[in-house]
Amino acid sequence: MGEAWSAVDEARQWRRLMEMGEIGAIAGGDGAKGVNRACLTPLDRKARRLLISWAEPLGLKPSADRLGNLFLRQEGSDPDAAPVLSGSHMDTQPNGGRFDGIYGVIAALEAVQALREAGAAPRRPIEIVAWTNEEGGRFAPGCMGSMAYAGYRPPDAWDAAEDPDGVRFGDALREHLAAEKDLPRRPLGVVEGRAPHAYVEAHIEQGPRLEAEGKDIGVVSGIQGSRWFVVELTGETAHAGTAPLSLRRDAVQDMVRAVAALNELMRDPSDVLRFTVGRIEVSPNTSNSVADRVRFTIDFRHPSAEVLTERGDAIERTVRGAVRDCGVSVTERFNAAPVEFSPVVTGAVERAAAAQGLSALRMPSGAFHDAQFMVPLCPTGMVFVPCRKGVSHNPAEYSDPAQLAKGTRVLAQVLAELAA
Ligand code: GLV
Ligand code: MN
Ligand code: MN
Ligand code: MN
């Protein structure tokens, strides 16, 4: 028998990824095939059923907590030992790809299956997890499942959050739990249960560095912090042909002033800071009426907690100083501190890559991940694999089967080491 990780089956993993990619498949430009699979929808449940159908024949036991986080547990020789946890998410952005999130879930399943096939018998249980609503694309913010698991926010914190159709998160979750009532219910993370022994998440890089530098594996050193805000500007609607400009309270014009001022606030010659206005809702949203209301989102990220505090706290002041005619409200709805991953995991990832003859690069993550919220609970880390041109949150997202299998072999060796 070779090393246990060598039983990772590249073709099987790829088949599963492609089969999952059919659930919510959408067409992108240039023949690209992406996925739109929002959390807590029938498509999400169909994907979860498919995952369970692959895991149960291997003896893995499914269960879900009250946030809908899904677990597949393989027992260890010591059933009382704290489990090693590995996974990611199965929801996608509305215009998402076939790899973001789901790769980490399927890689964890492939790793566990490979270890079994190679006859490895870890002492600790290994649990595969699919977190609820990582993306925040349907209900903002993202990472609700992992935040609740970690006790970072109360489990009912987002009950009133609404999707674009006005459906409340609390109602969608209730419906979802009812539809999956055959799944055994388990305690919610450290709020109702105990901490895992370690957490490892595999993910496509979602950026261009590994490909550009010709590296197989990203040893993720940590994740930059994120703050999300919603700005609402309230003016007055009027006739576009008759209302003099001097008398208008035009919410779109004030939005333009606010965004220009925010661009100044967020200026960063070192190009480290990330600042995005990604969603704009205009009311009444017709071409011949002045807008009486604009809501826009701010996604602000930086590796430094000080910069996040200073500039993030200046957002409301900056908007108020810039608008001329409208009322202003600024609400913060996500605040994830920057984290450093544990040397227990980064060291294991580095050792596994070296043992397997793979090239590796230590790098921070610009995207947030559920792993961010596991850091206070247990040694935590991530394994990145390259993706084509760094494209993600896009149907053109792509990572080739061999690269994905390399990441899974590293994951398998890391899980074997941590669960030994
Ligand atoms: C996750 O999808 C992120 O926006 O970083
Ligand atoms: Mn993801
Ligand atoms: Mn994503
Ligand atoms: Mn994400």
Side-chain angles (χ1 to χ4, degrees), residues 81-86 115 122-126 196-201 342-349 351-352 378-383 410-420:
V84 173
L85 194 58
S86 181
L115 295 179
R123 180 173 78 81
R124 293 182 180 278
I126 300 179
H197 175 66
Y199 177 74
V200 192
E201 179 168 350
S342 163
V344 171
V345 179
T346 54
V349 174
R351 278 193 299 283
C378 62
T380 294
M382 294 185 74
V383 180
V410 168
L411 178 68
Q413 188 172 346
V414 169
L415 294 182
E417 181 180 320
L418 292 170

Side-chain angles (χ1 to χ4, degrees), residues 226-230 308 312-313 330-336:
S226 305
R227 296 181 72 178
W228 282 12
F229 299 83
V230 179
L308 284 163
D313 289 356
V330 178
T331 312
E332 181 161 19
R333 60 178 178 186
F334 185 54
N335 187 338

Side-chain angles (χ1 to χ4, degrees), residues 398-414:
Y398 186 78
S399 183
D400 77 45
Q403 284 171 331
L404 294 164
K406 285 176 188 169
T408 306
R409 290 189 190 103
V410 168
L411 178 68
Q413 188 172 346
V414 169

Side-chain angles (χ1 to χ4, degrees), residues 1 20 39 56 72 91 117 123 142 174 185 192 224 255 277 288 307-308 321 344 371 385 402:
M1 187 184 85
M20 275 292 181
C39 71
E56 274 187 327
L72 300 158
D91 64 325
E117 287 173 356
R123 180 173 78 81
R174 251 188 306 283
R185 186 65 68 86
E192 299 168 348
Q224 68 176 340
M255 181 200 77
V277 174
N288 52 348
V307 174
L308 284 163
V344 171
V385 295

